[in-house]
Amino acid sequence: MANHKSALKRIRSSEAKRLRNKYQHKSTRTAVRKLRAMADQKEAGEFFKTVSSMLDKLARKNVIHKNKAANIKSALAKHVNSLAA
């Protein structure tokens, strides 16, 4: 058990951050799945912007690696562009 006031605060804040990161990461994964399931190109193009910013935010906060975010965005962009054909 922590012996210092600051250590107790660190435990509380770490738990809050962990839960926030978990929520945002899960929300983003769900949004990615939803985008992959879309068939309408125009709707998918609009939603891609939202998902892209969600991925960028996760990468900026170090929840996921920046290269992973880039790889997912690239694959999603290819998917959205393939809907046009």
Side-chain angles (χ1 to χ4, degrees), residues 5-35:
K5 234 177 173 180
S6 60
L8 292 169
K9 181 178 177 181
R10 175 61 64 192
I11 289 169
R12 286 194 312 271
S13 64
S14 294
E15 179 66 9
K17 288 175 187 172
R18 183 185 74 82
L19 292 174
R20 187 180 321 114
N21 288 341
K22 182 178 163 185
Y23 172 77
Q24 290 174 346
H25 195 186
K26 184 64 177 170
S27 300
T28 305
R29 285 194 308 247
T30 304
V32 167
R33 283 190 202 103
K34 184 177 174 185
L35 180 60

Side-chain angles (χ1 to χ4, degrees), residues 20-21 24 55-64:
R20 187 180 321 114
N21 288 341
Q24 290 174 346
L55 288 164
D56 287 337
K57 186 173 183 179
L58 288 180
R60 197 167 54 246
K61 302 285 186 180
N62 289 320
V63 177
I64 61 173

Side-chain angles (χ1 to χ4, degrees), residues 43-77:
E43 185 183 347
E46 288 297 314
F47 194 58
F48 175 70
K49 294 175 188 173
T50 306
V51 174
S52 183
S53 73
M54 290 170 84
L55 288 164
D56 287 337
K57 186 173 183 179
L58 288 180
R60 197 167 54 246
K61 302 285 186 180
N62 289 320
V63 177
I64 61 173
H65 196 274
K66 65 178 184 170
N67 290 354
K68 178 175 181 164
N71 289 337
I72 294 171
K73 282 169 44 178
S74 173
L76 290 174

